[in-house]
Structures are given as structure tokens and as C-alpha cells.
Amino acid sequence: MTGRGQASAGDLLELVRTGRATTRGALQQVTGMSRATVGQRLERLFRAGWLREGAGGPVDSPLGGRPSITLEFDDAHAVVLAADLDTRHARAAVLTLTGEILAEHSGTLVVEDGPDTVLGELGGWFAELLVKAGHGPEEVCGIGLAVPGPVDSETGLVVQPPIMPGWDGYDIRGRLARAFAERTGRPGTVPVLVDNDANLMAYGEQRTGHRDCSAFVLVKVSTGIGAGVVVDGSIFRGVDGGAGDIGHIRIPAGAESLCRCGSYGCLAAVASGGAVARRLAEAGVRAASGSDVRDLLASGHPEAAALAREAGRLVGDVLATVVTLLNPGVLMIAGDLAGTPFLTGVRELLYQRALPRSTARLDVVTSTLGERAGLVGAGALVVEHLYAPERVEERLLALGV
């Protein structure tokens, strides 16, 4: 808020959405504003359809009286679209403003086909999903997209992505907005937000199951290896979106292994799902990707399990430094290799190399949202962006309320 007594309509909405003040009286107390001023600003939010009245709360006064009417964020006034791209596969969904998935689709989309083709196809997926969910394109308030590469969050541009040829500097926001408009006939431009997949997976997991964790790290091990970091409820991206790119840390075990980034010795070159798949293929096992390794692990394949554990040890060695630097409360392993063999390997080296002080209060766990984590995080990113206090004011003025 801008200060006690100066709260905007956006500030009041933020207080209600976060549960910090959910009655008119509580809003007056927190902001120091008069009953009339609070009422005027709430009226704008009611007219926009963003607030609703809930059931009466408890009577606070010992003298009795009428119960206070609670205020609630109305999550039914709009929906969010979200998509999560991997190198050869994608998922897309329609979500409520509180993160419930209403309709979902997954299928083959190859990032090497280029952004124009991939984003055009996503526009078609979104159009079909809206029909499936029973919502119109005019109800969409924004689109969130997770991509397997570093992203400058200010511009939405992918920056020198090792496994996304042809995407560097491409106008993803503009192309996806156009694809959506072309496929649905919706006039105007829908806001599009883009971020790294590990970042959005971490954001979705932290908000869903670990809100009280002030330092949260998620490591995705699939075709590549990347980490998402959430500190005090916000994604930590670094100065230009490069934070968490641990797959390109050089390690001695990979000195002779060529990475897709063009360098030798990267962690991803020897410990990613793709690297494990290559070693299995060399041993005569049918495996071409991290998803194939995931299937082999699910079936109990002994050689896949042994290689996954070895990969986990390599990643665990790097994570000992990450844990020492960030001191997280939760370290979550996600992606194709996120199973018992890999997790065992991570724990073996992590607890061996990191100081006991760094791991004393650390929980090492696997993903709870699974393949939906990126979708949930992308949806949450859109909602937090569009309903931030300063943006609420802009949108209310645009609506004429």
C-alpha cells in the first residue's frame, strides 16, 4: 500500500485476496480510511465484478449485533489460459483465477519446429480448450507460457536458449496473442506472460503446498536440467532471467561430454534425462528421450534405475553448493527422473558434501503437482500480474469504473 489512509482500490483487493482483511471493518482498521472512502473504493471492485459478498462472519463485539459481511475475490469473472512447453511435448489448460484446472490437453509439439509453428498450434489448442471448458474467449484475462529456456521477464524474450533453436529474441508474446485472436476471433490483445519452465513449476508448487517456505528450490531433470527459486513468495530470476541454469555448471565427470549448448563438461550433458537415455541406447536399451527413461523407471528396469541413481549423485554434488548458498527449507526434485533411484543418489551426495548446518532443516521431496506444476505456476503468474494493486487501477480505469 502507498501508506495508511492512502490505500487504492487495488490495495483493498490485495488485502481481500490474501485474506489479510476480509470485512469492511477490517479494511478500515488496516488502512485507516473512513467507512465512506472504503465503501467508495469497494464499489468500483463490485462494479468490475472482481469482488463479491460472502457469508456473515462472527460477531466481534461482546455486546452482540449483526455479523460482519465477509468480502471475497470473485474468481468466476474470468479465466486464465496456460501452456507448458517441453522440447517435444506440451500441455495446455484453462484455469480459474484461483488455480483450478477446468480443461486440459497434452500432445506432441516440437520446439525445434520453431516459434511461429509451435505458438500457432497452441492458439488452436486454446480455442478448443475454451469450448471444452464452456467459456468464451472474451472471458480470458491473460495467457501464461512456460518454456524450457532462460527468459528476460521484462521483455518476455527467450535469451540464448541452448535447447530452443530459432527462439532467441523472438516475439513470443505478440505471436501467441495473435494466434489466440486468429483462432478465437476475439478482438483486442490478450496479455501474455512468459517465463522459464522450472521457475513456473517452482512457483506453482510453492504456492500450492509450501506457502510458508520462505526459500524454496525446485530442480527439473528432463531433457535438460534447470532450477527454479522462490524467495519470500516471489520468483528469483537474477538480472536477466538466467538464475537457476544449473545444467550448465561444469563438472569433472563430464569433461569429455559435449553439451547441446556447445560446451564440454556441463552437468546436463551427463546427468539429464537425455543423457541417461543416450547411455541406455548405447547399452542396447530402447530409449530416445527423458520420457522413455521415465517409463523404464516406472517399469522397474534395473539398468535405468542404476543410471538414474548415478545421475542423481552428480546432481546432488552440485546441489550441495546450491543448498549452502540459498539455505532453502524445501528442495524439490521434478521432471522425468524424479523417482526413487535419482532421489536416492541426490541425497547420498547432498548430505555428504553439504554442511550439516545447511541441511538440518531441509526437506528433500519430489513434485506433488507432477506434470501440472508448470500450468499452475503459469496461471498464478498471470493472476498475480493482472491483479497487482498498481495494475488494478489501470484496468479499472480502462473499464470505466
Side-chain angles (χ1 to χ4, degrees), residues 1 3 31 47 53 56 75-76 86 118 134 138 154 204 214 258 261 290 331 333 365 372:
M1 291 188 296
T31 64
R47 286 165 59 195
E53 291 187 341
D75 68 338
D86 208 333
V118 171
E138 72 284 353
E154 292 298 317
S214 60
L258 177 64
C261 73
L331 172 62
I333 307 298
V365 300
R372 290 179 163 180

Side-chain angles (χ1 to χ4, degrees), residues 321-352:
T321 301
V322 173
V323 166
T324 301
L325 178 65
L326 297 177
N327 189 210
V330 175
L331 172 62
M332 179 174 284
I333 307 298
D336 292 329
L337 297 192
T340 300
F342 185 85
L343 193 64
T344 299
V346 167
R347 284 175 168 151
E348 284 175 0
L349 262 290
L350 173 62
Y351 289 108
Q352 177 182 326

